[in-house]
mmCIF file of all heavy atoms in Angstrom:
data_model
loop_
_atom_site.group_PDB
_atom_site.id
_atom_site.type_symbol
_atom_site.label_atom_id
_atom_site.label_comp_id
_atom_site.label_asym_id
_atom_site.label_seq_id
_atom_site.Cartn_x
_atom_site.Cartn_y
_atom_site.Cartn_z
ATOM 1 N N THR A 53 -55.484 -32.181 53.096
ATOM 2 C CA THR A 53 -56.633 -32.050 52.207
ATOM 3 C C THR A 53 -56.339 -32.934 51.004
ATOM 4 O O THR A 53 -55.261 -33.517 50.899
ATOM 5 C CB THR A 53 -56.852 -30.590 51.740
ATOM 6 O OG1 THR A 53 -55.772 -30.213 50.889
ATOM 7 C CG2 THR A 53 -56.963 -29.631 52.912
ATOM 8 N N THR A 54 -57.272 -33.011 50.089
ATOM 9 C CA THR A 54 -57.033 -33.831 48.899
ATOM 10 C C THR A 54 -55.934 -33.245 48.025
ATOM 11 O O THR A 54 -55.334 -33.947 47.229
ATOM 12 C CB THR A 54 -58.320 -33.985 48.072
ATOM 13 O OG1 THR A 54 -58.821 -32.686 47.767
ATOM 14 C CG2 THR A 54 -59.356 -34.790 48.821
ATOM 15 N N ARG A 55 -55.661 -31.958 48.179
ATOM 16 C CA ARG A 55 -54.669 -31.299 47.325
ATOM 17 C C ARG A 55 -53.375 -30.910 48.022
ATOM 18 O O ARG A 55 -52.390 -30.615 47.360
ATOM 19 C CB ARG A 55 -55.278 -30.048 46.708
ATOM 20 C CG ARG A 55 -56.405 -30.351 45.773
ATOM 21 C CD ARG A 55 -56.922 -29.093 45.149
ATOM 22 N NE ARG A 55 -58.046 -29.369 44.279
ATOM 23 C CZ ARG A 55 -57.955 -29.436 42.970
ATOM 24 N NH1 ARG A 55 -56.818 -29.231 42.376
ATOM 25 N NH2 ARG A 55 -59.030 -29.700 42.256
ATOM 26 N N ALA A 56 -53.372 -30.844 49.346
ATOM 27 C CA ALA A 56 -52.192 -30.317 50.023
ATOM 28 C C ALA A 56 -51.983 -30.943 51.394
ATOM 29 O O ALA A 56 -52.915 -31.448 52.014
ATOM 30 C CB ALA A 56 -52.328 -28.808 50.174
ATOM 31 N N VAL A 57 -50.741 -30.874 51.827
ATOM 32 C CA VAL A 57 -50.349 -31.279 53.164
ATOM 33 C C VAL A 57 -49.596 -30.097 53.756
ATOM 34 O O VAL A 57 -48.658 -29.593 53.141
ATOM 35 C CB VAL A 57 -49.422 -32.518 53.126
ATOM 36 C CG1 VAL A 57 -48.905 -32.848 54.507
ATOM 37 C CG2 VAL A 57 -50.129 -33.708 52.527
ATOM 38 N N ALA A 58 -50.028 -29.636 54.925
ATOM 39 C CA ALA A 58 -49.365 -28.503 55.572
ATOM 40 C C ALA A 58 -49.138 -28.824 57.040
ATOM 41 O O ALA A 58 -49.984 -29.445 57.691
ATOM 42 C CB ALA A 58 -50.227 -27.250 55.441
ATOM 43 N N LEU A 59 -48.000 -28.402 57.546
ATOM 44 C CA LEU A 59 -47.700 -28.617 58.955
ATOM 45 C C LEU A 59 -48.668 -27.832 59.834
ATOM 46 O O LEU A 59 -49.021 -26.699 59.520
ATOM 47 C CB LEU A 59 -46.284 -28.148 59.273
ATOM 48 C CG LEU A 59 -45.145 -29.029 58.807
ATOM 49 C CD1 LEU A 59 -43.825 -28.286 58.927
ATOM 50 C CD2 LEU A 59 -45.104 -30.324 59.594
ATOM 51 N N THR A 60 -49.081 -28.440 60.927
ATOM 52 C CA THR A 60 -49.801 -27.711 61.962
ATOM 53 C C THR A 60 -48.759 -26.927 62.758
ATOM 54 O O THR A 60 -47.544 -27.114 62.570
ATOM 55 C CB THR A 60 -50.531 -28.679 62.912
ATOM 56 O OG1 THR A 60 -49.550 -29.509 63.553
ATOM 57 C CG2 THR A 60 -51.556 -29.535 62.179
ATOM 58 N N ASP A 61 -49.191 -26.075 63.663
ATOM 59 C CA ASP A 61 -48.230 -25.370 64.523
ATOM 60 C C ASP A 61 -47.414 -26.368 65.335
ATOM 61 O O ASP A 61 -46.192 -26.237 65.458
ATOM 62 C CB ASP A 61 -48.960 -24.402 65.466
ATOM 63 C CG ASP A 61 -49.533 -23.197 64.730
ATOM 64 O OD1 ASP A 61 -49.094 -22.908 63.595
ATOM 65 O OD2 ASP A 61 -50.419 -22.532 65.295
ATOM 66 N N ALA A 62 -48.089 -27.387 65.863
ATOM 67 C CA ALA A 62 -47.384 -28.420 66.628
ATOM 68 C C ALA A 62 -46.417 -29.184 65.725
ATOM 69 O O ALA A 62 -45.311 -29.534 66.143
ATOM 70 C CB ALA A 62 -48.384 -29.381 67.265
ATOM 71 N N GLY A 63 -46.818 -29.440 64.488
ATOM 72 C CA GLY A 63 -45.947 -30.119 63.538
ATOM 73 C C GLY A 63 -44.712 -29.304 63.222
ATOM 74 O O GLY A 63 -43.607 -29.852 63.111
ATOM 75 N N ALA A 64 -44.872 -27.992 63.082
ATOM 76 C CA ALA A 64 -43.732 -27.122 62.812
ATOM 77 C C ALA A 64 -42.761 -27.130 63.990
ATOM 78 O O ALA A 64 -41.533 -27.170 63.791
ATOM 79 C CB ALA A 64 -44.212 -25.706 62.518
ATOM 80 N N ARG A 65 -43.290 -27.096 65.209
ATOM 81 C CA ARG A 65 -42.418 -27.157 66.397
ATOM 82 C C ARG A 65 -41.692 -28.495 66.466
ATOM 83 O O ARG A 65 -40.502 -28.556 66.769
ATOM 84 C CB ARG A 65 -43.236 -26.923 67.666
ATOM 85 C CG ARG A 65 -43.667 -25.480 67.845
ATOM 86 C CD ARG A 65 -44.249 -25.222 69.223
ATOM 87 N NE ARG A 65 -45.420 -26.039 69.517
ATOM 88 C CZ ARG A 65 -46.669 -25.716 69.197
ATOM 89 N NH1 ARG A 65 -46.921 -24.589 68.568
ATOM 90 N NH2 ARG A 65 -47.667 -26.523 69.514
ATOM 91 N N TYR A 66 -42.404 -29.584 66.151
ATOM 92 C CA TYR A 66 -41.778 -30.904 66.189
ATOM 93 C C TYR A 66 -40.693 -31.019 65.111
ATOM 94 O O TYR A 66 -39.634 -31.573 65.364
ATOM 95 C CB TYR A 66 -42.847 -31.990 66.012
ATOM 96 C CG TYR A 66 -42.323 -33.387 66.215
ATOM 97 C CD1 TYR A 66 -41.903 -33.822 67.465
ATOM 98 C CD2 TYR A 66 -42.225 -34.275 65.148
ATOM 99 C CE1 TYR A 66 -41.406 -35.093 67.655
ATOM 100 C CE2 TYR A 66 -41.736 -35.556 65.316
ATOM 101 C CZ TYR A 66 -41.330 -35.954 66.585
ATOM 102 O OH TYR A 66 -40.831 -37.217 66.764
ATOM 103 N N LEU A 67 -40.953 -30.461 63.951
ATOM 104 C CA LEU A 67 -39.947 -30.474 62.867
ATOM 105 C C LEU A 67 -38.683 -29.759 63.324
ATOM 106 O O LEU A 67 -37.573 -30.250 63.084
ATOM 107 C CB LEU A 67 -40.517 -29.830 61.614
ATOM 108 C CG LEU A 67 -39.576 -29.766 60.404
ATOM 109 C CD1 LEU A 67 -39.174 -31.166 59.947
ATOM 110 C CD2 LEU A 67 -40.233 -29.002 59.260
ATOM 111 N N GLU A 68 -38.834 -28.625 63.974
ATOM 112 C CA GLU A 68 -37.662 -27.894 64.475
ATOM 113 C C GLU A 68 -36.882 -28.736 65.479
ATOM 114 O O GLU A 68 -35.649 -28.739 65.458
ATOM 115 C CB GLU A 68 -38.078 -26.557 65.102
ATOM 116 C CG GLU A 68 -38.495 -25.536 64.079
ATOM 117 C CD GLU A 68 -37.414 -25.250 63.043
ATOM 118 O OE1 GLU A 68 -36.254 -25.042 63.423
ATOM 119 O OE2 GLU A 68 -37.743 -25.259 61.840
#
Side-chain angles (χ1 to χ4, degrees):
T53 68
T54 55
R55 295 183 182 259
V57 174
L59 285 168
T60 62
D61 289 341
R65 287 191 300 273
Y66 187 68
L67 180 62
E68 287 303 313

